[in-house]
Amino acid sequence: QVQLVVSGGGSMQTGGSLRLSCRASGMSLTTACMGWFHQAPGKERKEVASIGAFVSGFAMTTYIDSVKGRFTISRDNAENTLYLQMNSLKPEDTGTYYCAPCGAFPDYRYWGQGTQVTVSS
């Protein structure tokens, strides 16, 4: 059974940094395109960063404009863990963060609990 356990959230002031982790079991993160998803209070969940499958020593990363230059997605293949380094945090980054395969739909079976990030001004 797939489990995606996310951790690392917390409360920060504007400009602070956090590093989120997503430890997977029951699936390999190395061979999957994986994404970090953000659900702001009262809004739909949306994918903010993704990293492609690891092929020939390379994996493509993509970001939405609002986090580009501030967030970095990475993966530890040996630990089967996905990371999201979040720098220069802004209040609009507040919400719950999840990891899931790229493009996962709301009815994806293994969303998990996510981790809460709160950024105050």
Side-chain angles (χ1 to χ4, degrees):
Q1 183 175 348
V2 173
Q3 280 193 314
L4 299 168
V5 180
V6 181
S7 61
S11 296
M12 299 293 294
Q13 290 193 323
T14 297
S17 297
L18 285 171
R19 189 194 195 202
L20 308 185
S21 300
C22 170
R23 190 168 186 92
S25 59
M27 68 174 291
S28 170
L29 297 187
T30 304
T31 57
C33 179
M34 293 297 297
W36 281 99
F37 295 74
H38 171 224
Q39 186 165 21
K43 297 190 177 180
E44 292 186 352
R45 187 159 32 201
K46 65 178 180 180
E47 189 169 351
V48 298
S50 67
I51 184 167
F54 188 71
V55 178
S56 300
F58 176 77
M60 182 175 290
T61 57
T62 60
Y63 303 90
I64 62 170
D65 286 345
S66 61
V67 307
K68 207 171 285 185
R70 300 189 299 121
F71 290 10
T72 302
I73 187 171
S74 62
R75 178 171 52 206
D76 185 325
N77 296 327
E79 296 294 326
N80 208 33
T81 301
L82 187 73
Y83 298 101
L84 184 68
Q85 179 66 44
M86 309 167 70
N87 297 329
S88 302
L89 284 163
K90 301 178 180 180
E92 51 263 44
D93 297 324
T94 293
T96 306
Y97 286 77
Y98 305 84
C99 71
C102 297
F105 288 104
D107 61 353
Y108 175 64
R109 188 175 178 181
Y110 305 112
W111 281 111
Q113 300 298 314
T115 190
Q116 177 68 33
V117 171
T118 302
V119 185
S120 57
S121 56

